[in-house]
Amino acid sequence: WFGEGVYATTSATYALRYALGMRDFWESPGKTGVVIAGRAVFANVYPITQCDNDRPLEAGLPREPGKPGLKGKRIASAEGAQGCDAHYVCVRGWPPNEEHKNTTYHACA
């Protein structure tokens, strides 16, 4: 969603989604997920916002998440991100809809 490469998070519940087939742990009774704790250090981080989406949120339009614009793209591919060694994104959960059967997470505005 937010670029190509390794993902790290400060939220164990968010990380568990990747271990449980993109389902929240409370929607996966009896399933086991593994979270690896570690520490990551980055020198220059590019903050991802709705502005990086192919279709950002626009004033006056229905509030829905934009299509992630950095999905599958290398770090530092966004304009202004040259020299960055990581992406950082604050996410917000969006409820299921016609396009996605489960909760999805998108960059905050």
Side-chain angles (χ1 to χ4, degrees), residues 26-38:
W26 55 85
E27 297 173 336
S28 305
K31 302 283 184 184
T32 301
V34 177
V35 175
I36 298 171

Side-chain angles (χ1 to χ4, degrees), residues 40-73:
V41 178
F42 303 101
N44 196 8
V45 178
Y46 177 75
I48 296 174
T49 67
Q50 281 287 317
C51 294
D52 293 300
N53 286 345
D54 286 342
R55 188 189 71 223
L57 290 172
E58 296 180 29
L61 295 178
R63 301 291 291 174
E64 63 178 51
K67 180 180 174 195
L70 297 177
K71 186 173 183 177
K73 294 184 180 174

Side-chain angles (χ1 to χ4, degrees), residues 6-108:
V6 176
Y7 280 70
T9 180
T10 57
S11 170
T13 56
Y14 183 72
L16 274 172
R17 290 177 50 82
Y18 289 85
L20 298 172
M22 300 313 291
R23 309 292 286 169
D24 289 307
F25 73 90
W26 55 85
E27 297 173 336
S28 305
K31 302 283 184 184
T32 301
V34 177
V35 175
I36 298 171
R39 182 178 295 186
V41 178
F42 303 101
N44 196 8
V45 178
Y46 177 75
I48 296 174
T49 67
Q50 281 287 317
C51 294
D52 293 300
N53 286 345
D54 286 342
R55 188 189 71 223
L57 290 172
E58 296 180 29
L61 295 178
R63 301 291 291 174
E64 63 178 51
K67 180 180 174 195
L70 297 177
K71 186 173 183 177
K73 294 184 180 174
R74 293 184 51 219
I75 292 174
S77 64
E79 186 177 329
Q82 289 68 39
C84 292
D85 57 359
H87 290 158
Y88 175 81
V89 59
C90 171
V91 296
R92 173 179 175 224
W94 289 84
N97 55 42
E98 311 81 47
E99 204 173 321
H100 297 282
K101 63 182 178 185
N102 56 347
T103 301
T104 57
Y105 290 80
H106 298 268
C108 296

